[in-house]
């Protein structure tokens, strides 16, 4: 079985290739759209200024531009998803390398005054347990993690959480999708 580092490095390399292809496709569509504007200008000049061509020909470059713009929008969405995916795996590798400090929320807002063990265990603050564990991208997710750290759970609840962790540990694609959706 591959180590988490190998899995993340392999996925990161694949996502970087996807991102590179999407960036290249984005640039191609940018040039295509620019070319279509030039074609429109030429057809407009031939049609409106010289009256050499029928005016309905103006519809062709406009229609092609709109189609190209629509496809370009999807290309940009793929590029953005690929960029987010690259970031997900970069953050995962940084965590494995113990370089999570300063990345994401440190949870200081969740530090309760006078809590029995939060201060002693350094649960919250820069580079502490909350920041290391926190992959939440929403306030509600961070709140849930903070509450789990601050309030002990009953044994049946702990077993359910452990089962969920085991299930999620083997489904890297699902975890990646959840990161990208939030």
């Amino acid at each position: 079985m591959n180590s988490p580092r190998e899995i993340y490095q392999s996925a990161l390399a694949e996502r970087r290739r996807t991102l590179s292809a999407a960036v290249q496709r984005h640039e191609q569509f940018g040039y295509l759209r620019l070319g279509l504007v030039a074609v429109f200008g030429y057809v407009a000049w031939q049609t409106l200024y010289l009256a050499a061509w029928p005016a309905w020909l103006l519809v062709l470059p406009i229609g092609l531009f709109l189609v190209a713009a629509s496809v370009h929008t999807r290309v940009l969405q793929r590029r953005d998803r690929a960029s987010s995916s690259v970031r997900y795996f970069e953050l995962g590798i940084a965590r494995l390398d113990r370089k999570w400090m300063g990345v994401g929320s440190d949870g200081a807002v969740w530090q309760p005054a006078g809590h029995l063990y939060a201060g002693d265990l350094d649960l919250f603050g820069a580079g502490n347990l909350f920041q290391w564990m926190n992959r939440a991208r929403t306030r509600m997710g961070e709140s849930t993690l903070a509450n789990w750290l601050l309030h002990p759970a009953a044994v049946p609840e702990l077993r359910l959480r452990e089962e969920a962790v085991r299930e999620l540990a083997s489904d890297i694609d699902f975890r990646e999708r959840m990161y990208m959706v939030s």
Side-chain angles (χ1 to χ4, degrees):
M1 183 173 158
N2 293 336
S3 71
R5 176 177 308 288
E6 292 169 333
I7 292 169
Y8 272 55
Q9 286 174 331
S10 173
L12 177 60
E14 179 185 327
R15 300 322 187 271
R16 282 183 173 157
R17 284 190 296 275
T18 301
L19 177 59
S20 179
V23 166
Q24 184 177 14
R25 193 92 165 123
H26 157 62
E27 290 171 355
Q28 292 169 342
F29 269 93
Y31 288 125
L32 173 64
R33 290 173 67 179
L34 184 61
L36 287 171
V37 168
V39 167
F40 174 77
Y42 180 72
V43 171
W45 178 68
Q46 288 288 330
T47 304
L48 302 174
Y49 183 71
L50 298 179
W53 294 349
W56 65 266
L57 282 177
L58 286 170
V59 172
L60 292 176
I62 291 171
L64 289 173
F65 182 87
L66 293 174
V67 169
S70 175
V71 173
H72 193 194
T73 297
R74 288 192 297 277
V75 167
L76 288 172
Q77 289 169 344
R78 279 194 296 271
R79 182 202 61 188
D80 293 345
R81 280 193 308 271
S83 179
S84 181
S85 185
V86 163
R87 181 75 178 140
Y88 173 78
F89 288 105
E90 287 173 344
L91 289 171
I93 291 170
R95 239 178 199 62
L96 292 172
D97 292 339
R98 300 184 184 276
K99 296 179 182 170
W100 75 87
M101 291 181 228
V103 177
S105 171
D106 64 8
V109 298
W110 308 109
Q111 175 72 45
H115 188 271
L116 182 62
Y117 55 82
D120 290 336
L121 296 179
D122 291 328
L123 293 182
F124 302 100
N128 290 309
L129 186 61
F130 179 89
Q131 193 167 51
W132 179 63
M133 292 179 68
N134 182 27
R135 292 299 296 251
R137 300 215 15 205
T138 65
R139 183 94 169 149
M140 187 170 68
E142 287 184 359
S143 172
T144 299
L145 176 58
N147 282 323
W148 285 3
L149 292 173
L150 291 169
H151 304 99
V155 172
E157 178 65 25
L158 288 176
R159 288 197 176 115
L160 289 173
R161 290 179 192 173
E162 287 173 353
E163 180 59 33
V165 167
R166 276 192 290 278
E167 185 178 327
L168 288 173
S170 65
D171 199 347
I172 193 169
D173 294 331
F174 176 76
R175 293 192 328 260
E176 178 187 10
R177 285 191 310 273
M178 289 299 99
Y179 175 85
M180 292 171 36
V181 195
S182 55

